[in-house]
């Protein structure tokens, strides 16, 4: 599973693995892929530094990258308190009523919410990068499109490639104009924030739109056969996120959530604004149903929604309130039926890739070549 891009980065397989877990990121790189650590949950720079130190000690000298979330346009002088003040009282009441309906306990006195999305705010993302650029990261990815121009320039000055996610060919062309090095074409099937175009349609459209920039295919990919299909569509690699959630190295802090992921089928996800304010594919739960219901207050725009539900999500996760318990995940969850090591996932990917290539060669009359 080698391409020009994987050779450029010095990795054995053109598999880029996004994950919030340092142990998974390091294991992906050790297995021959390219681990990418999601930084959005790091609100304190020292916490990110601690985990990057850990990766450095466990990656065996293999390359890895970082994924941040920051808008292309800078907004000056806006604090988290300013944003919090914009949340309507009716929405706060809806959250409390929903939690009460399901008997969700309060956090202990003095216990801070364990899940905050302040990482969506630009000043936090910039503090993350101040830490990350002290490490030998090889790739900086941004989940909200092209990073600000000064961040792109700073990355390039340090020899770091910059990637940006796109849900349409139009978005991809904007990334190219902004000096991005790699476009991640993220299809409708993907977990987290997605557009409305399926990956089978999106990938070749983006490849053509930004040629000669390399494109990574994302969304609905979890087998070697699907990796082969992505490369056949013109991608120079794949961007996988969901499949790592049920690996042995992942730390979901919730056995109930792992059980739900293993039991879920490909039809058990929904694109909902309930988590962040932007459409994000996640497990469908009674929490997402409540926010998407016609008689509800409706969700708030990013980042208001994420700040609004942060404590609620922490309480749901801590106490494992099953009807409300969910996580961002793609439709590939239907194939995530057992807990495997990252290495085992790569073994399956390479085996399936070889089988797919052999099958195509037989169809084309090139058996044995």
């Amino acid at each position: 599973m080698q391409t020009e891009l994987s050779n450029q980065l010095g990795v054995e397989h053109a598999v880029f693995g996004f994950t919030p877990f340092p142990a998974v990121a390091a294991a992906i790189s050790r297995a021959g892929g390219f681990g990418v650590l999601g930084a959005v949950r790091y609100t304190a720079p020292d916490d990110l530094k601690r985990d990057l130190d850990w990766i450095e000690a466990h990656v065996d000298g293999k390359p890895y990258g970082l994924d941040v979330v920051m808008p292309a346009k800078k907004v000056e002088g806006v604090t988290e308190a300013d944003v919090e003040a914009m949340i309507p009282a009716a929405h706060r009441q809806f959250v409390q009523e929903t939690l009460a309906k399901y008997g969700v306990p309060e956090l202990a006195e003095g216990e801070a919410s364990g899940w905050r999305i302040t990482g969506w705010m630009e000043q936090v993302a910039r503090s993350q990068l101040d830490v990350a650029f002290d490490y030998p990261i090889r790739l900086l990815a941004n989940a909200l499109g092209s990073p600000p121009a000064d961040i792109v320039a700073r990355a390039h000055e340090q020899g770091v490639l910059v990637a940006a996610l796109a849900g349409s060919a139009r978005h991809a062309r904007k990334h190219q104009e902004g000096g991005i090095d790699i476009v991640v074409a993220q299809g409708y099937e993907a977990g987290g924030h997605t557009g409305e175009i399926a990956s089978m349609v999106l990938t070749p459209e983006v490849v053509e739109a930004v040629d000669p920039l390399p494109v990574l295919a994302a969304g609905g990919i979890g087998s070697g056969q699907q990796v082969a299909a992505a490369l056949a569509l013109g991608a120079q690699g794949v961007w996988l996120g969901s499949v790592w959630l049920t690996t042995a190295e992942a730390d979901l802090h919730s056995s109930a959530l792992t059980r739900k992921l293993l039991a879920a089928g490909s039809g058990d996800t929904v694109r909902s604004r309930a988590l962040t304010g932007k459409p994000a594919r996640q497990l469908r739960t009674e929490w997402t149903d409540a926010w998407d219901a016609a008689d509800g207050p409706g969700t708030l725009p990013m980042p208001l929604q994420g700040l609004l539900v942060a404590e609620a999500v922490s309480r749901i996760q801590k106490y494992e309130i099953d009807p409300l318990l969910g996580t961002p995940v793609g439709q590939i969850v239907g194939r995530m039926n057992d807990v495997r090591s990252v290495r085992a996932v790569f073994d399956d990917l390479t085996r399936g890739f070889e089988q797919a290539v052999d099958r195509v060669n037989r169809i084309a009359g090139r058996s044995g070549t």
Side-chain angles (χ1 to χ4, degrees), residues 48-266:
L48 178 59
K49 183 180 186 303
R50 177 202 63 216
D51 283 354
L52 289 177
D53 283 339
W54 190 94
I55 289 177
E56 274 291 300
H58 292 83
V59 81
D60 293 347
K62 301 295 180 64
Y64 62 93
L66 191 75
D67 180 279
V68 298
V69 180
M70 60 191 311
K73 295 181 179 179
K74 186 174 182 178
V75 179
E76 298 282 0
V78 178
T79 67
E80 181 180 346
D82 294 331
V83 178
E84 287 267 15
M86 298 169 64
I87 298 174
H91 282 74
R92 294 189 185 278
Q93 181 178 353
F94 178 77
V95 169
Q96 295 308 315
E97 290 175 349
T98 304
L99 295 176
K101 176 182 177 180
Y102 291 91
V104 183
E106 298 276 355
L107 295 175
E109 185 176 353
E111 182 179 358
S113 168
W115 186 88
R116 298 291 286 170
I117 64 144
T118 50
W120 299 107
M121 302 185 72
E122 183 184 1
Q123 62 267 34
V124 177
R126 285 182 176 273
S127 70
Q128 293 166 349
L129 292 175
D130 288 339
V131 171
F133 282 135
D134 286 336
Y135 292 81
I137 62 171
R138 296 290 307 281
L139 175 72
L140 172 65
N142 188 37
L144 276 185
S146 302
D150 67 298
I151 296 297
V152 176
R154 185 178 176 187
H156 287 165
E157 287 171 2
Q158 299 194 204
V160 177
L161 297 179
V162 181
L165 276 64
S168 70
R170 178 176 59 85
H171 293 156
R173 281 189 287 266
K174 286 186 177 180
H175 297 338
Q176 186 178 38
E177 294 167 2
I180 298 302
D181 305 292
I182 302 168
V183 176
V184 181
Q186 187 174 37
Y188 173 83
E189 310 96 324
H193 297 119
T194 69
E196 299 181 351
I197 305 174
S199 56
M200 181 64 73
V201 175
L202 179 65
T203 301
E205 284 187 353
V206 171
V207 168
E208 182 177 350
V210 300
D211 184 60
L213 284 188
V215 172
L216 300 177
I221 302 173
S223 71
Q225 291 87 345
Q226 291 165 322
V227 175
L231 300 190
L233 293 173
Q236 286 206 31
V238 294
W239 178 274
L240 308 184
S242 297
V243 294
W244 316 114
L245 290 173
T246 52
T247 56
E249 294 87 348
D251 185 10
L252 287 178
H253 299 292
S254 172
S255 57
L257 182 54
T258 298
R259 289 195 300 271
K260 290 189 77 170
L261 287 168
L262 295 176
S266 57

